[in-house]
Amino acid sequence: MKRIRRNIKGALLLLMSLFLLLVVYFCYVLFFYGDRWFSNVYNSRVSIGREHMEIVPGDILDRNKVILATTKSELRVDPKTGEQREYYFRSYHPSAKDIDISHVVGYHDSKFGRSGAEAFYVRYLMGYNNSLLEKIYQKAFLPQERGNDVYLTIDYELQKFISKELKNRKGSVVVLNPKTGEILAMVSKPSFDPNNVGKTAKEDNLINRATQGLYPPGSIFKIITAAAALENIDDVEEQLFECTGFTQIEEIRVPCYEGNAHGVVDIKNAMAVSCNGFFAHLGKNLGWKKMLKIGEKFGFNYDFLFSDIRLLPSQLPLNSRIGKEELVWDALGQGKVLVTPLHMAMVAATIANNGVMMEPKLLYKVVGRNEHIQKSLKPRAFKSVLSAENARLIQAMMELTVTEGTGKNASIKGMKIAGKTGTAEIKGTKESKINPHAWFIGFTSDNPTLAIAVIVENGGTGGAVAAPLAKKIIQKSREMGY
Amino acid sequence: MKYVFPGSDLYLMILIDALALIGFIILQRLNPSMGLKQIEWFGLGSCIFVIMTLLTSRIKKWDYFYYPLIISGGVILLVALVFGKEVGGARNWFSIGRYTIQPSEFVKLIIIFVLAIELKEQRHRKERIPTILFVAVSIMLVVLQKDLGAAFIYFCLFILLYYIATSDWLITILSLGATVIGSIISYNIFSHIKVRIEAWRDPWANIQDKGYQIAQSLIAIGSGGLMGLGLGLGSPQVIPASKTDFIFAAICEEMGILVGLAVIGFYILIMVKGVMISLNASNAFDALLSMGATIALTIQSFIIIGGVIKLVPLTGVTMPFVSYGGSSMLASMGLLGILQGIAVKENRNVSDEEDMAEGVEDEEEVD
């Protein structure tokens, strides 16, 4: 009997730990995912396009109070009764399509559902975050309950400028503040008109390429390879390599761009001129484990659960089964590596911020009734990726790229710009060669308040196409005071 | 209560009443006719409770019941398998006239009694084989009926009670292994199990069909916040099975997460009380019986709440005392009756001993 009692106590422990697991999981999952579940587009509790809404959704504005989205009502004839009724709908800035705020702000349509900020911040827009007292007050004393206004970190004028510069080309631009993670601009073209989603949605223009577009990074990935080298290979800064236009690693043939022979280079020169041979050897010598480790430090293969924004994971599919050839091409940013423009901007921002990657922030503040500020932007460090020393070394490489290397078209008089170009090849067919993607990522190294990522799909080379675009955008941003 | 059943546990009664009350409130809000029916079931359940309490506190020789119980258990399950209807894809209901009953709920009670009778004495492993076979066959029959929750509960009852009674590692590990193999086999044979597991791992990917139920459940829970949206202000009707399996999601949505945590807390307290009654028992049978009832209630509430919040895959069991359903309420009341019966029995033993001790004292004084 005593033994039975002892066993019963053991069973109690077992059952108790089951319930503890239940409670902990419940709280954990609600804390991290609760908002996400609520904002899910299948949540029918929040939907527009109805007559007399219980709660009128609040406005979405840019950081300078430019109204990007608001709720309007109009008299429509009820199809069933023939009476005129007041229907509510979301109305967006008239130039939404041209300046591409359509992806960032999103849409809220009775047929198409919700996307972008309209979806992600629906909790604030519908006032669900109001305190109990506030909810009671609004229900009792106001003629119409209203949600709260959401201010985004983006700058409408900057978005306008970038959209104009991108013109009709497909691609994406992201401008961040490396110290705070604020997204100052996020443009994805082609765009659509959120005032008329049904008619203007075409092919893939509803996709926000900045956060959901996966592209091969090409040479901009060399920043990651260089970081891996600095972390793992002693005195790699002193190592020299003779580039003859192509290099042979066992049975793999790696040519440099256009077969250019770069001569004798160290890591700094190799980065500046984007020498494939140098980095191919680095990749092979580091091995998949070390490359994977540094990639994961930079946030690759990671399911970002940022509070402000939904970002697809960037992919670095390295494992023990990878052959040397795939590893080498991965180290050059080709192979099977895929990245999003926002993530690449975060990488540039990390170098600018002494190796610390800040969480990207899109929510500037939430303002309730009577201008009462309910929530304010709080910068948060996401990862400590590199030591400040290594970050500075890479910064020097990126500065050289702009002063003397492939990024010359991004240099601005009177400013110090650090950057890296990328020309990401895409497999074409035998008949037609597809133009590579033009990449440029960089930051203002004299005063690191701006980091940028530019990709022009099938635009050509990074140096010729993406770099000059980045230059203009950085100049304009500085003019605007960032 | 104290007078009719001296020694019964008051806290247990309060806990069950609290749970049932929450159930009444949310069911009334969801569907007033169901709310009324649930109260009727509660009334009927209370009768069952009284009967079970009397049975467990008064009957001393349970050995005679062994074979009748095994036979009736087997017959019930076979009948359910052959004549039952499939409702909701993975549950097997059996209709008698106007009422639909879930036989596996009652067999749960039978299994607890059978195991307690078998395990109360030390015996050689070989002699236990008939009981082990009975449980194994019951589990298989229930799996064939696609009632995986019941199968899991039967399994937990067997393995936990067996170990508690005998500390026999061999059988424990063997049965664990057999179950694992059985699970893998059934996963591969039964497509509906595959669907369940897929929906569990990523409901959002299949949100329009397989994952819809869990996704809507999570959305509802996420919408509720701490204080809930308020009774009548949420939309729990979009969750399939919101009055039975997913009632926890409806509770969280409208009454808030704090209430949800309180419900979990109630089940934890019921478990603790049940274990205390079990520890207080004076013989193996009483301890095993009450522990069995505790395990049944505990495991069942764990897997249904866990399924609703996506901790474990859905299994089609109900929340004891809260979910709508006659079989569920009656069976849960039966389990409550077992616990209270043992509590009463122990109390009587103690007072008998006290009476005897007092008697001895008196005699000494007379001298």
Side-chain angles (χ1 to χ4, degrees):
Chain A
M1 198 57 206
K2 261 212 195 110
R3 182 176 42 84
I4 290 185
R5 287 214 184 90
R6 207 182 346 116
N7 287 341
I8 291 179
K9 289 189 192 149
L12 173 66
L13 223 69
L14 181 71
L15 294 173
M16 191 58 105
S17 41
L18 275 182
F19 268 107
L20 218 72
L21 174 68
L22 196 69
V23 170
V24 167
Y25 179 82
F26 189 50
C27 298
Y28 159 80
V29 102
L30 267 168
F31 183 72
F32 283 102
Y33 291 89
D35 274 348
R36 228 162 247 264
W37 293 341
F38 180 70
S39 320
N40 188 288
V41 293
Y42 280 87
N43 188 356
S44 54
R45 291 162 188 79
V46 277
S47 58
I48 201 153
R50 304 203 304 229
E51 30 158 314
H52 181 67
M53 300 208 70
E54 244 180 64
I55 305 176
V56 170
D59 295 345
I60 300 180
L61 306 93
D62 86 336
R63 64 193 295 134
N64 297 317
K65 298 205 180 159
V66 175
I67 297 183
L68 303 172
T70 186
T71 314
K72 290 207 177 128
S73 65
E74 66 177 11
L75 288 172
R76 287 189 207 163
V77 180
D78 185 338
K80 288 188 213 134
T81 64
E83 296 173 6
Q84 273 203 328
R85 281 228 173 99
E86 214 175 9
Y87 278 86
Y88 287 84
F89 62 97
R90 288 295 264 180
S91 168
Y92 299 92
H93 195 285
S95 341
K97 177 171 197 245
D98 305 316
I99 60 173
D100 184 49
I101 51 156
S102 19
H103 290 110
V104 177
V105 171
Y107 53 84
H108 188 161
D109 183 272
S110 52
K111 252 193 269 150
F112 287 87
R114 301 190 304 272
S115 86
E118 288 274 42
F120 226 62
Y121 303 131
V122 71
R123 210 171 135 248
Y124 305 114
L125 292 170
M126 296 300 283
Y128 276 49
N129 65 316
N130 283 335
S131 68
L132 198 58
L133 247 59
E134 174 69 23
K135 285 187 193 164
I136 296 176
Y137 178 86
Q138 286 208 12
K139 263 201 163 63
F141 297 117
L142 294 184
Q144 170 77 53
E145 279 176 85
R146 199 176 177 281
N148 301 311
D149 293 334
V150 166
Y151 286 73
L152 300 177
T153 54
I154 59 169
D155 186 315
Y156 161 82
E157 294 290 333
L158 187 56
Q159 292 264 138
K160 194 156 121 187
F161 180 80
I162 296 175
S163 295
K164 254 205 310 205
E165 291 298 319
L166 252 184
K167 301 196 182 76
N168 290 327
R169 297 179 282 187
K170 278 193 187 180
S172 174
V173 175
V174 178
V175 180
L176 293 179
N177 180 327
K179 294 199 200 138
T180 64
E182 285 171 86
I183 299 177
L184 298 167
M186 185 157 71
V187 175
S188 166
K189 292 268 201 170
S191 184
F192 60 95
D193 184 4
N195 287 312
N196 210 333
V197 186
K199 293 219 182 79
T200 59
K202 236 194 299 212
E203 296 170 351
D204 56 6
N205 66 357
L206 287 180
I207 296 180
N208 184 347
R209 284 162 155 76
T211 56
Q212 316 280 318
L214 286 170
Y215 302 96
S219 302
I220 60 174
F221 191 78
K222 287 179 180 135
I223 292 180
I224 306 213
T225 314
L230 289 173
E231 293 250 312
N232 290 295
I233 304 178
D234 292 327
D235 301 325
V236 68
E237 302 121 73
E238 268 100 54
Q239 284 180 13
L240 294 174
F241 173 78
E242 166 138 30
C243 174
T244 55
F246 76 93
T247 190
Q248 193 82 23
I249 302 178
E250 288 167 33
E251 67 285 359
I252 316 165
R253 189 180 189 279
V254 180
C256 278
Y257 186 71
E258 309 245 291
N260 288 338
H262 297 118
V264 176
V265 290
D266 66 0
I267 191 169
K268 228 170 149 198
N269 306 127
M271 179 78 92
V273 300
S274 208
C275 176
N276 286 344
F278 188 93
F279 286 94
H281 277 281
L282 270 187
K284 171 184 160 284
N285 292 337
L286 284 164
W288 71 269
K289 263 199 208 141
K290 298 200 176 116
M291 284 296 295
L292 181 63
K293 190 149 175 264
I294 200 84
E296 285 173 352
K297 268 190 167 182
F298 269 99
F300 275 80
N301 301 335
Y302 183 77
D303 190 12
F304 302 110
L305 282 177
F306 296 133
S307 56
D308 274 17
I309 197 165
R310 189 165 287 142
L311 177 60
L312 271 189
S314 296
Q315 298 172 18
L316 181 58
L318 292 177
N319 54 55
S320 52
R321 296 185 299 271
I322 296 282
K324 266 199 203 86
E325 173 149 19
E326 197 176 321
L327 174 64
V328 161
W329 287 111
D330 281 350
L332 298 175
Q334 302 278 174
K336 297 208 172 127
V337 189
L338 290 173
V339 299
T340 57
L342 174 56
H343 188 206
M344 290 299 99
M346 286 159 68
V347 167
T350 306
I351 309 294
N353 196 27
N354 293 324
V356 175
M357 190 180 268
M358 302 298 288
E359 234 189 70
K361 291 284 178 194
L362 188 56
L363 188 64
Y364 189 52
K365 59 182 172 185
V366 178
V367 176
R369 197 168 49 87
N370 286 339
E371 303 290 311
H372 173 58
I373 297 183
Q374 297 178 332
K375 200 173 153 83
S376 252
L377 165 73
K378 263 197 218 57
R380 243 176 62 171
F382 170 52
K383 265 175 181 288
S384 195
V385 182
L386 294 176
S387 64
E389 193 194 322
N390 282 344
R392 229 164 289 133
L393 285 170
I394 298 187
Q395 176 176 317
M397 296 181 216
M398 290 168 78
E399 282 170 354
L400 193 63
T401 310
V402 173
T403 51
E404 293 180 21
T406 57
K408 278 205 225 104
N409 284 329
S411 67
I412 302 176
K413 216 154 163 223
M415 286 174 70
K416 249 206 200 159
I417 308 287
K420 180 78 194 77
T421 59
T423 308
E425 310 271 346
I426 314 138
K427 259 207 175 76
T429 60
K430 280 204 201 94
E431 292 81 39
S432 64
K433 192 167 170 293
I434 304 183
N435 253 357
H437 296 319
W439 277 101
F440 180 87
I441 67 175
F443 57 95
T444 53
S445 58
D446 48 355
N447 184 4
T449 58
L450 290 168
I452 188 171
V454 173
I455 175 172
V456 180
E457 280 181 38
N458 310 118
T461 66
V465 175
L469 190 54
K471 166 195 174 128
K472 286 206 194 118
I473 298 172
I474 294 179
Q475 260 174 321
K476 179 71 172 171
S477 309
R478 262 297 148 82
E479 268 171 48
M480 293 172 75
Y482 292 110
Chain B
M1 269 301 292
K2 250 200 284 189
Y3 302 107
V4 181
F5 290 124
S8 59
D9 194 314
L10 273 172
Y11 289 107
L12 264 182
M13 301 310 288
I14 296 179
L15 287 167
I16 271 83
D17 285 340
L19 283 171
L21 207 65
I22 295 180
F24 294 152
I25 295 177
I26 199 87
L27 282 171
Q28 185 69 16
R29 173 257 182 270
L30 288 171
N31 185 335
S33 62
M34 276 183 159
L36 196 61
K37 254 232 137 58
Q38 179 81 338
I39 299 183
E40 288 174 18
W41 284 119
F42 185 79
L44 192 61
S46 306
C47 301
I48 302 280
F49 159 70
V50 169
I51 295 175
M52 285 309 292
T53 310
L54 285 170
L55 287 177
T56 37
S57 62
R58 297 213 173 253
I59 299 184
K60 301 253 167 117
K61 287 248 176 216
W62 281 93
D63 288 326
Y64 300 119
F65 288 89
Y66 178 74
Y67 284 107
L69 281 172
I70 288 196
I71 294 175
S72 25
V75 166
I76 294 180
L77 285 179
L78 274 166
V79 167
L81 182 65
V82 173
F83 293 107
K85 291 189 300 185
E86 211 171 289
V87 173
R91 267 194 282 140
N92 213 314
W93 297 77
F94 183 47
S95 49
I96 299 180
R98 276 192 303 138
Y99 296 101
T100 43
I101 62 168
Q102 208 181 358
S104 59
E105 294 270 346
F106 301 107
V107 175
K108 198 168 48 185
L109 284 154
I110 292 181
I111 289 191
I112 294 177
F113 276 100
V114 166
L115 283 171
I117 297 174
E118 168 67 56
L119 295 166
K120 65 182 162 74
E121 282 151 41
Q122 291 304 310
R123 259 206 277 264
H124 200 74
R125 275 191 214 120
K126 285 202 203 101
E127 299 173 40
R128 300 221 189 267
I129 290 188
T131 310
I132 297 180
L133 255 139
F134 170 63
V135 176
V137 167
S138 305
I139 293 182
M140 278 193 283
L141 284 174
V142 151
V143 167
L144 282 171
Q145 289 174 34
K146 301 189 186 174
D147 193 348
L148 301 166
F152 185 70
I153 295 177
Y154 295 174
F155 168 70
C156 285
L157 280 170
F158 172 74
I159 206 173
L160 285 173
L161 286 177
Y162 200 94
Y163 185 75
I164 289 177
T166 63
S167 299
D168 186 350
W169 278 111
L170 181 66
I171 295 283
T172 310
I173 295 187
L174 277 178
S175 38
L176 204 63
T179 311
V180 169
I181 296 176
S183 320
I184 299 179
I185 294 178
S186 36
Y187 175 78
N188 286 311
I189 297 181
F190 297 113
S191 55
H192 71 269
I193 296 186
K194 274 210 185 96
V195 168
R196 283 275 164 105
I197 304 258
E198 235 181 85
W200 165 58
R201 285 171 91 202
D202 193 356
W204 311 103
N206 293 301
I207 196 170
Q208 277 170 313
D209 57 292
K210 294 181 234 178
Y212 186 73
Q213 198 174 29
I214 300 190
Q216 285 299 343
S217 165
L218 296 175
I219 290 176
I221 299 179
S223 306
L226 275 179
M227 304 287 287
L229 290 175
L231 267 181
L233 297 178
S235 313
Q237 61 272 12
V238 298
I239 314 170
S242 58
K243 307 172 196 72
T244 52
D245 297 2
F246 279 87
I247 199 165
F248 186 71
I251 291 174
C252 284
E253 179 188 357
E254 300 209 326
M255 299 194 204
I257 290 169
L258 288 179
V259 174
L261 283 172
V263 166
I264 297 179
F266 289 155
Y267 284 120
I268 295 181
L269 287 173
I270 291 176
M271 166 183 68
V272 170
K273 276 276 135 196
V275 169
M276 279 167 64
I277 290 177
S278 176
L279 285 173
N280 209 21
S282 56
N283 65 66
F285 178 75
D286 291 349
L288 291 169
L289 196 66
S290 46
M291 198 57 195
T294 311
I295 291 174
L297 282 170
T298 308
I299 297 283
Q300 185 169 342
S301 43
F302 173 77
I303 59 182
I304 183 55
I305 297 181
V308 167
I309 66 176
K310 203 177 93 69
L311 177 63
V312 294
L314 275 179
T315 43
V317 292
T318 52
M319 263 183 43
F321 304 109
V322 182
S323 279
Y324 175 74
S327 314
S328 165
M329 181 62 87
L330 295 183
S332 306
M333 281 301 199
L335 292 169
L336 177 68
I338 293 178
L339 285 174
Q340 295 289 34
I342 300 294
V344 168
K345 197 172 173 194
E346 279 322 303
N347 184 61
R348 206 179 308 125
N349 282 348
V350 169
S351 51
D352 281 349
E353 282 170 20
E354 282 173 1
D355 287 343
M356 280 169 56
E358 278 171 33
V360 170
E361 278 175 37
D362 282 343
E363 277 178 27
E364 283 181 340
E365 273 178 66
V366 159
D367 191 300

